[in-house]
Amino acid sequence: MINLILFGPPGSGKGTQAARLTEKYDLLHISTGDLFRYEMGNNTPLGQEAKSYIEKGELVPDSVTIGMLRNKVEANPDVAGYIFDGFPRTVAQAEALDVLLGERKEEVTALLSLEVDDEEIVKRILERGKTSGRPDDNDESIIRNRIEVYNSETAPVFDYYDKKGKSQKIDGIGSIEEIFDRLCTAIDKEI
Ligand code: C5P
Ligand code: MG
């Protein structure tokens, strides 16, 4: 199996690139942000709980996010691999992912981190907000909080996999095609 973590701050292009990578490598794209938005759209109890965090740009508690991720993986066992987008967001989530894959004698193949500076992120997310319909994309203070949460809670996940020799930084500035090529070059070295 190929199990990739597509990493990087909000607005770094994870979703855009994951959609292309899943096609090329025949993987299942799992975006926890998209799963939360689906639950919120259906006003489920999970969606209602997640909403209170997401609208502030905070992280949903690990137990909720890990449970949802596990359900999604277990519902799709017969795939060539996964691209995790927006997960893990904390070291506890990374440890839970390792346990989940370990139960199937699998492991994370690589973490690819899209590097984009803060001002570019704010600009990109505000632009995306014009059409995404996401309240958390339309308020600069929420966007800046998401970046802060990324730096404090999520960035350590890079180091966690770096210690295992699995983390790679990818320049996230350029055309979608250029960034896709950089990601493919990195992935092809790992498989
Ligand atoms: O990944 P994405 O940026 O779409 O996530 C949107 C929001 O969902 C995050 O800002 C956060 O509030 C929540 N989220 C989370 N934990 C994750 C993924 C998303 O709390 N692992
Ligand atoms: Mg996304």
Side-chain angles (χ1 to χ4, degrees):
M1 278 180 100
I2 308 175
N3 300 303
L4 301 172
I5 298 172
L6 204 48
F7 197 70
S12 57
K14 301 185 295 293
T16 303
Q17 296 295 341
R20 297 173 157 243
L21 292 170
T22 43
E23 232 178 86
K24 173 160 177 177
Y25 295 96
D26 195 27
L27 305 172
L28 180 70
H29 177 198
I30 301 184
S31 159
T32 40
D34 288 349
L35 293 175
F36 283 132
R37 284 184 285 276
Y38 177 80
E39 299 287 337
M40 289 192 290
N42 288 300
N43 206 21
T44 64
L46 174 63
Q48 287 168 11
E49 184 176 7
K51 188 171 188 283
S52 59
Y53 298 94
I54 292 174
E55 63 190 11
K56 295 197 275 290
E58 300 290 336
L59 292 184
V60 178
D62 284 332
S63 58
V64 175
T65 305
I66 291 166
M68 180 179 73
L69 187 278
R70 178 178 273 276
N71 285 341
K72 183 73 182 176
V73 168
E74 288 179 347
N76 295 276
D78 299 320
V79 294
Y82 304 95
I83 295 190
F84 299 101
D85 157 10
F87 183 95
R89 280 282 224 285
T90 63
V91 170
Q93 290 177 21
E95 288 167 348
L97 178 61
D98 288 349
V99 169
L100 175 57
L101 293 175
E103 286 167 8
R104 313 152 66 131
K105 308 269 181 284
E106 293 290 338
E107 56 179 55
V108 168
T109 308
L111 176 151
L112 305 171
S113 178
L114 292 169
E115 304 288 306
V116 180
D117 61 85
D118 289 1
E119 293 319 304
E120 171 72 14
I121 285 167
V122 173
K123 213 171 75 187
R124 282 191 193 178
I125 297 181
L126 285 171
E127 188 58 34
R128 180 174 75 184
K130 291 178 187 168
T131 54
S132 70
R134 288 175 54 174
D136 63 341
D137 281 353
N138 275 288
D139 178 315
E140 187 166 339
S141 69
I142 295 174
I143 295 170
R144 293 208 180 265
N145 190 45
R146 289 163 67 194
I147 295 172
E148 245 177 68
V149 168
Y150 175 81
N151 289 330
S152 60
E153 297 187 52
T154 305
V157 173
F158 182 93
D159 303 327
Y160 174 87
Y161 285 108
D162 198 31
K163 288 195 187 105
K164 301 174 191 280
K166 293 183 174 179
S167 292
Q168 286 193 59
K169 291 188 177 173
I170 307 287
D171 181 1
I173 303 280
S175 71
I176 290 174
E177 210 48 57
E178 280 165 350
I179 298 165
F180 180 67
D181 287 344
R182 288 174 201 147
L183 287 165
C184 292
T185 303
I187 293 167
D188 291 342
K189 270 190 248 154
E190 300 295 327
I191 60 179

